[in-house]
Structure formats: structure tokens, C-alpha cells
Amino acid sequence: MNSKVKYDVIVIGELNVDLILNQIGQFPEIGKEIIANSMNLTLGSSSAIFASNLSTLGTSVAFIGKIGQDGFASVVLNSLNSKGVDTSNIIQSETLNTGATIVLNYDQDRAMVTYPGAMEDLRLEDIDFDFLTSCRHLHFSSIFLQPSIRKSLPFMFSKAKLLGLTTSLDPQWDPAEKWDVNLSELLPTLDIFMPNKAEFLLLTATNSLEEGIAKIKNIAPNLILIIKDGVNGAYAWKAGQLIHQPAFLNENVVDCIGAGDSFNAGLINAFIKGDSIEKCLESGAITGAVSTTRAGGTGAFKSLDDVRILSVEVFNVIF
Ligand SMILES: Nc1ncnc2c1ncn2[C@@H]1O[C@H](COP(=O)(O)OP(=O)(O)O)[C@@H](O)[C@H]1O
Ligand SMILES: [Mg+2]
């Protein structure tokens, strides 16, 4: 192992806050004002939820991302710091604002508006590869929200691998729905690729898991492919074998915000420990399920003890 190792995982990705408005009497109309009876300002973004929950599980985590110097920036930094994530490599732009998502919850539905802000400006030059040499694993999330670094990802992952890190990527949804990614270039630079099923089918332009896997197996024969499929659980494809992990079904879902990111946290936490692929999948399924028992992406991850208690009490499984 590298003698400089300080962090198990370096997360590179998007950062924003979520301003969540609940209990609104009716959906907003142009030109009118309505009242929300509850409001919550929390850490948003897939990458930050992943980093925060991974740290709670006991893995040491550092973060590289871009925010502004505004009040929302303090919310992001305080939230990550309070979960033990190292934020010293987060860049605070003097000119750009921190990204924010305004969420309007109305009954079972919601409307969201996102201002990407500084997250769109993260670029290859912002990454301190010397710092990466003090980490064991690199995880990146949300390629379509970060246009300034997107085309540099194969270079970034290749360089990280040369420095001795293992690599993982969760592509997340493409808001433009173009799904324009050169998989032949990107996938060979990854150890683990972890989209959800809808994203995987759109990225591979196929209609089934089997077809999608057939398309990528020659491009990246050594890849571990993880496919999340909501209440149907998740799949792992490794060395020509497809394994299915059923979900630990939650009958009383509070919300599914961050279920995929929490799944990723459980899986990478196990991967870092050197667990088998079966164990990694099961860990992900537990933490994905645990995430649905509390509001928001980090609500169920207050401490490792809380995660363990929820696993046993709600799902009758030991984490
Ligand atoms: N209702 C649920 N009950 C239990 N586990 C769930 C539930 N919804 C999601 N999960 C777990 O979380 C994982 C990720 O959820 P999914 O919705 O597939 O990802 P994403 O949030 O990326 O779309 C699933 O593979 C599953 O293990
Ligand atoms: Mg996801």
C-alpha cells in the first residue's frame, strides 16, 4: 500500500444545497403567491450524499468539488465537515454561486428547479493529482451535471489508476436526455461502473440488461458493472457472471431521495474492505434500503450505530 495513504476514498463531484418546501396548499401558479408550512435547507447532490454516508459507515473520505463563497457554501461545508468528510480540497470560486435545487413537494409529487452554479465549472485543472496519491479509491458522480470536466474523465480516471487508485463512477441521469458518452473510451478506465437500470439502457442504447452487457463486455472485460433497479434490487456483472441481489423491501418508504447514493456508499465501503462482490452487493442493498426509512438522502445516516439499528429493526439483517 502507498505509504502516503490518508484517505480511503476521494470523491470528485457536484455540490449543491436542497431547499425543500413542504406542506404547500396548492401547486404554484404564475402571478400568484402561496404559503409552504414547512421548509428545510439541507445538503443536496448525489456526490455529497454519497461522501457523507460513506464517511458515516466508517470509510475515511475527502472531497474535491466547486462551490461559491455564499451562505449556501457554508451549508455544504458544515454538513460535510460534521460527517467527518475532509473538505480542504473543495474550491470556493470568487465569481460563481453555489448550486441550489428548490424542491416543491406537493402530495406524492414534486417539482424541482436546479441552478447548477459553480458545479458546472469544475475542470481537470482543479484536480490536485498529488493529493490523489494520498487516497486509495476515486469515485466520481453525475457526469452530465459537470460539462467542464466531462470530456476529461477518461484521462482523469486513467491517471488515477496509474497513481495506484481504484476507480468507480455513477453516471446519474442526463437532464438533456442525450446520453452522449463514449463508453469505449470511458469504461476501460473504471473498476466499477454503477448506473441504475434506466440509465444503463439509455447509455448503451439497448432494451435489456443482457443486450447492454453484450455491448460492453468486449470493451471492458475487467469491469465490475453494478446496476441498481429500485425495488427489484440490484445486479452485478463480473468476469462474465451476472449476480442478482434482491432489495430489502421497505413497506413504509419515507422517501427514496439518495437511495442510489446510499447503495453506492454501502457497496464502496465493502469494496474498500476487500469484501466479495456478493457481500458488496448485499451491503449496498442494506444501505439503499436504510436510506428509505428517513427523510432526505442523509437522514438515516446520523451514525454507524443508527444504520446498524435500522438494519436490524426494520429489515432484520445485520450490517
Ligand atoms: N423501496 C425500497 N425498499 C428497499 N430498498 C430500496 C427501495 N428503493 C430502492 N432501494 C434500494 O436502493 C437501491 C438504489 O435505488 P435505485 O432507485 O435503483 O437507484 P437510483 O436512486 O440511483 O435511481 C436499489 O438497488 C435498492 O437496493
Ligand atoms: Mg442514481
Side-chain angles (χ1 to χ4, degrees):
M1 198 197 286
N2 188 329
S3 57
K4 273 170 76 180
V5 164
K6 270 168 61 188
Y7 298 98
D8 294 323
V9 177
I10 176 74
V11 179
I12 305 182
E14 91 289 17
L15 288 167
N16 71 265
V17 296
D18 283 348
L19 180 65
I20 305 168
L21 301 178
N22 293 306
Q23 298 171 29
I24 55 178
Q26 63 178 87
F27 215 71
E29 281 177 57
I30 302 286
K32 295 189 179 174
E33 180 172 354
I34 52 166
I35 298 291
N37 287 304
S38 141
M39 183 186 83
N40 215 341
L41 180 62
T42 65
L43 179 67
S45 84
S46 170
S47 303
I49 292 169
F50 168 77
S52 185
N53 292 349
L54 181 61
S55 179
T56 299
L57 296 180
T59 292
S60 59
V61 184
F63 205 106
I64 297 176
K66 200 174 265 190
I67 53 179
Q69 298 190 349
D70 42 27
F72 285 167
S74 311
V75 174
V76 167
L77 293 173
N78 291 341
S79 305
L80 287 171
N81 284 329
S82 74
K83 295 297 177 80
V85 176
D86 178 276
T87 57
S88 57
N89 281 271
I90 291 178
I91 297 146
Q92 291 197 264
S93 164
E94 285 175 17
T95 50
L96 302 165
N97 288 322
T98 306
T101 297
I102 313 301
V103 185
L104 301 174
N105 279 325
Y106 178 67
D107 268 351
Q108 298 298 314
D109 267 320
R110 62 168 65 168
M112 296 190 273
V113 183
T114 292
Y115 170 71
M119 75 170 80
E120 281 194 332
D121 193 60
L122 184 74
R123 50 195 74 236
L124 188 65
E125 303 86 273
D126 292 324
I127 294 172
D128 178 353
F129 284 96
D130 195 41
F131 180 72
L132 258 59
T133 60
S134 67
C135 309
R136 295 170 58 201
H137 180 89
L138 163 62
H139 179 86
F140 188 95
S141 186
S142 309
I143 50 186
F144 302 104
L145 297 178
Q146 300 174 93
S148 302
I149 196 166
R150 198 171 128 198
K151 298 281 184 237
S152 311
L153 291 179
F155 177 86
M156 180 194 79
F157 284 123
S158 304
K159 191 155 173 183
K161 283 186 74 67
L162 281 174
L163 295 173
L165 286 80
T166 46
T167 56
S168 57
L169 169 68
D170 185 334
Q172 303 288 0
W173 189 255
D174 178 8
E177 297 192 40
K178 292 193 177 135
W179 305 99
D180 174 23
V181 175
N182 183 341
L183 293 179
S184 316
E185 202 186 11
L186 183 61
L187 296 185
T189 68
L190 298 174
D191 291 288
I192 308 178
F193 183 49
M194 41 203 333
N196 70 23
K197 187 176 174 187
E199 292 153 2
F200 178 68
L201 298 182
L202 288 158
L203 281 164
T204 53
T206 56
N207 293 309
S208 69
L209 285 194
E210 292 71 21
E211 262 185 79
I213 290 167
K215 257 196 170 173
I216 66 163
K217 71 176 178 206
N218 296 325
I219 301 174
N222 300 322
L223 181 72
I224 300 173
L225 172 66
I226 303 292
I227 297 171
K228 292 159 278 177
D229 193 12
V231 292
N232 298 318
Y235 299 85
W237 176 83
K238 187 189 172 190
Q241 265 204 311
L242 187 64
I243 307 164
H244 178 238
Q245 166 70 53
F248 292 91
L249 257 196
N250 182 5
E251 306 289 341
N252 300 302
V253 169
V254 175
D255 69 47
C256 286
I257 297 171
D261 309 316
S262 303
F263 175 101
N264 292 351
L267 188 136
I268 295 297
N269 184 61
F271 178 77
I272 288 296
K273 286 194 287 189
D275 285 347
S276 68
I277 191 66
E278 288 83 3
K279 188 86 186 101
C280 292
L281 265 185
E282 189 194 46
S283 296
I286 297 172
T287 50
V290 161
S291 153
T292 66
T293 64
R294 295 284 183 272
T298 57
F301 291 77
K302 294 218 157 42
S303 70
L304 180 54
D305 277 349
D306 280 14
V307 173
R308 289 194 164 132
I309 291 166
L310 284 166
S311 304
V312 169
E313 288 188 350
V314 185
F315 302 105
N316 201 19
V317 61
I318 293 172
F319 178 76

